[in-house]
Amino acid sequence: DDTMLSRREWSKRAFASLITGAGSIATIASNPEQSNAADDIIWKTGKSPQIPGQKPKEKGDVKGTKKDPNFLRSISDCKTKCETGYGPDGLSRSASECLSSCQDICCTTYEQCTFNITPR
């Protein structure tokens, strides 16, 4: 008979915790300040998001683009190290293989990660 009592108590406690958890999730989900901030951002494919209140970038600012000097320097360094080393099969890697893997390693923005690098 003690087993039945403990099962009932366990069931009551489990049900009570589920109700309490569901109530707290509903309170969090209904907070309008958090959702409004995300709704104001305008997303356009291939471009950085337009955030209200943020001043636009200057015309000559290349930070985060494919022409960013820091990005180009890191790609160049990575490519040089890649081409002088050997791949997992013991053979040297081609320039296009190195550029592809270095782009994945060095990119920090969507534009840097998605543009097509072609070896010269």
Side-chain angles (χ1 to χ4, degrees):
D1 198 29
D2 287 336
T3 318
M4 189 59 89
L5 182 62
S6 65
R7 285 184 186 172
R8 285 184 186 154
E9 285 299 315
W10 181 87
S11 298
K12 287 179 187 177
R13 289 180 184 164
F15 185 70
S17 66
L18 283 173
I19 297 299
T20 305
S24 64
I25 290 173
T27 304
I28 292 170
S30 66
N31 189 351
E33 288 111 21
Q34 291 176 345
S35 63
N36 284 343
D39 292 340
D40 294 341
I41 298 174
I42 300 170
W43 296 90
K44 292 186 179 179
T45 304
K47 297 186 177 185
S48 60
Q50 297 174 355
I51 303 171
Q54 185 181 40
K55 67 178 190 176
K57 291 170 61 172
E58 296 177 15
K59 291 288 184 190
D61 187 18
V62 293
K63 184 171 172 73
T65 66
K66 61 185 178 184
K67 296 180 182 179
D68 185 353
N70 292 331
F71 172 67
L72 294 175
R73 190 176 305 113
S74 65
I75 286 279
S76 176
D77 292 343
C78 179
K79 181 179 170 254
T80 303
K81 290 177 186 175
C82 177
E83 286 181 332
T84 57
Y86 295 105
D89 55 357
L91 302 173
S92 62
R93 298 171 68 187
S94 69
S96 61
E97 290 174 334
C98 287
L99 282 173
S100 177
S101 64
C102 286
Q103 182 178 15
D104 293 340
I105 294 168
C106 299
C107 70
T108 56
T109 63
Y110 177 80
E111 182 179 351
Q112 291 172 351
C113 292
T114 56
F115 86 97
N116 189 16
I117 299 178
T118 55
R120 292 184 180 183

